[in-house]
Amino acid sequence: MPLSSLELALRAGTVAVLLVLAASLYGEFRKVLAGRLAVAFALGSAAHAASYSLGAPTEVSGWHAPLIALSTGNVVVFWLFARALFDEDFHLRWYHGLIWAAVAGFSLVNCLWIAPSGYAWLSVVASNLITLVFIALALTQTMASWSADLVERRRRVRVFIVCAAALYGGVNALLQIFGSGVSAFVIVCGVLAAVIMAM
């Protein structure tokens, strides 16, 4: 099977699984803040899988740019999800929406104006450095409060969810910055599958 066909199959399968996951989470946990954030994170991850490409294309279509912006803003949702998952007193504030809008808006501007103006690599580096910052914030939150959960099995599951997502995001961001001749989407899916199997 050609690599492009494998990537398309992985992408389509990932989008389908994430949409089913979002619907399932909404049905079960829509009244819980962490559940609503998990739904938003799954939908943003589906946008990521649908729009993913290595680096920054010189031209982005009108429908592709908003998906990329949603995908980039999803790292803020991930950070908020980690906070809600490990801190039962956490509440969403108005400025969390502003942070998400700033990150997603920056990504949209990158796609539509900065990258096509000849600054594609700078655009990729800036977006992925933002991603790495929010991943670090989510991991810091996880490590700072995971021991407060007295239910051992639930604590392990929560840490796994956050660490697996952080690993995916971190590897993806580094591949975006440094590039690769091989499809980064396939590499990252392989890394994540290996982590899941190891757990």
Side-chain angles (χ1 to χ4, degrees):
M1 175 183 284
L3 193 58
S4 59
S5 298
L6 176 61
E7 180 174 352
L8 182 60
L10 284 171
R11 192 188 302 266
T14 301
V15 170
V17 167
L18 287 167
L19 291 176
V20 169
L21 177 63
S24 175
L25 289 169
Y26 181 78
E28 293 290 326
F29 301 106
R30 66 181 174 272
K31 295 182 180 177
V32 180
L33 176 59
R36 292 192 300 272
L37 287 169
V39 170
F41 183 57
L43 292 173
S45 297
H48 167 73
S51 65
Y52 187 84
S53 64
L54 183 61
T58 53
E59 290 186 19
V60 176
S61 63
W63 68 269
H64 198 196
L67 279 180
I68 294 172
L70 283 174
S71 172
T72 306
N74 203 39
V75 74
V76 177
V77 177
F78 172 60
W79 166 59
L80 296 172
F81 170 65
R83 292 191 66 185
L85 199 60
F86 289 97
D87 181 2
E88 294 181 2
D89 295 326
F90 174 73
H91 298 286
L92 284 177
R93 305 290 184 210
W94 61 270
Y95 55 85
H96 292 136
L98 285 181
I99 294 170
W100 179 88
V103 171
F106 177 71
S107 177
L108 190 63
V109 168
N110 264 344
C111 290
L112 296 178
W113 292 289
I114 297 175
S117 299
Y119 300 100
W121 189 79
L122 183 62
S123 158
V124 168
V125 171
S127 292
N128 285 286
L129 286 177
I130 290 170
T131 296
L132 290 172
V133 166
F134 279 99
I135 287 172
L137 288 172
L139 287 175
T140 301
Q141 174 65 37
T142 301
M143 293 303 112
S145 55
W146 74 278
S147 59
D149 191 341
L150 301 177
V151 181
E152 178 68 25
R153 184 179 175 95
R154 184 176 66 186
R155 182 171 59 189
R156 283 200 309 262
V157 170
R158 288 180 177 188
V159 169
F160 170 73
I161 290 169
V162 173
C163 289
L167 176 65
Y168 175 89
V171 170
N172 176 54
L174 292 173
L175 284 171
Q176 287 281 348
I177 291 171
F178 297 109
S180 171
V182 181
S183 168
F185 190 78
V186 173
I187 292 172
V188 173
C189 283
V191 169
L192 190 55
V195 171
I196 292 171
M197 289 173 63
M199 297 299 283

